[in-house]
Amino acid sequence: MDRDPAEDLLRIAIELERAGEAGYRIKAFRRAAQTVAAADRAELAARAAEGTLAKLPGLGDVTARCVAESLAGEEPVYLRRLLATADRPLDQATEELHAALRGDCHSHSDWSDGTEPIAAMADAARALGREYLVLTDHSPRLTIARGLSAERLAQQLVEVERLNAGYADGFRLLSGIEVDILDDGSLDQTPDLLGRLDVVVASVHSKLRSPAAEMTPRMLAAVADPHTDILGHCTGRLVRRAGGDTSTETRPESEFDAAAVFAACAANGVAVEINSRPDRLDPPKRLLRLAVEAGCLFAIDSDAHYRTQLDWLRFGCERAARCGVPVDRVVNTWPVDRLLAWTRRERG
């Protein structure tokens, strides 16, 4: 059986990340995967026969052994052991919600701070049985994430259209953006371009420790913007470091009047994101229950930055099920036509 050694290394990295293992170990497998993906398969096979895989940049004894096993058509022992001790099966309520999901409304590509080409992300979503994936790379102000200028976003729209022309199975790649909420609550992209997108996720990425007296009106202004469809990771918290991050810092929740913000979301038809990333799990359960009581819509999103993270939706589903989120109020359980009718409610 042919195996892709780079894919096996990435799978190990994601399983380590799911298990909360040390960031340096996850980063080592990611780095090894990049090296292997760029290498010629014949060279890898020759090095495996010679026992010199570990001499490649970014590979060590453990990752080299995994590559050799994968090249031989075997599931790497390291991966097999991780999968054998993986999380318990989803319970019935979580499984029903997970099965109801048709798409994912928050994902990134290598056009901003993701690591995979757009086509690879779309193909991975298709392989998971998704009917659609929304591409939401960052907006210009987030320079650390290579946010897209208006010109680059316009170019991306052409690429999305080109890729969609090649899908014969009914899958849709939807255009979108994770747009920065600026200090005054305005959105970090031109209204004309925002109006051309299928889905707009608006998120706060700066001045996260602002007092509630500043953060609340900032968020309320963004929610009131007719282009906003989804309020992304509303507290901005990090409950543990991300797998590829070398820092040891977590990040506390931003302070804001959650009742007022969720009431505004409900009034404006803006969905509250249930961010499924294990390092975020945002909003916390107490706020998620508050949003349910406020009558909000929800989007259970992966916030994936590479293809294997697209499977993180199960984490968001588990928290949604625990907090009583009604399935019919989760917008990505809707078929694509209903989703687009909702996002264009104010755009004409």
Side-chain angles (χ1 to χ4, degrees), residues 126 164-171:
R126 294 167 69 199
N164 273 323
Y167 299 132
D169 55 2
F171 175 82

Side-chain angles (χ1 to χ4, degrees), residues 106-125:
H106 187 169
S107 68
H108 297 273
S109 76
D110 60 2
W111 283 56
S112 64
D113 63 341
T115 62
E116 308 265 14
I118 298 171
M121 294 295 288
D123 287 344

Side-chain angles (χ1 to χ4, degrees), residues 264-332:
C265 286
N268 288 280
V270 169
V272 173
E273 179 180 69
I274 301 174
N275 191 290
S276 300
R277 290 186 63 89
D279 54 316
R280 285 191 181 276
L281 299 178
D282 197 2
K285 289 179 181 176
R286 74 179 194 286
L287 294 187
L288 187 47
R289 293 187 181 98
L290 184 63
V292 171
E293 293 169 5
C296 293
L297 295 171
F298 298 92
I300 300 175
D301 295 333
S302 68
D303 194 357
H305 284 64
Y306 49 94
R307 73 187 87 171
T308 48
Q309 291 182 344
L310 289 166
D311 199 29
W312 278 353
L313 291 179
R314 63 187 64 244
F315 301 135
C317 288
E318 181 175 11
R319 296 173 61 252
R322 298 284 179 272
C323 295
V325 173
V327 175
D328 63 353
R329 278 161 55 187
V330 177
V331 299
N332 48 321

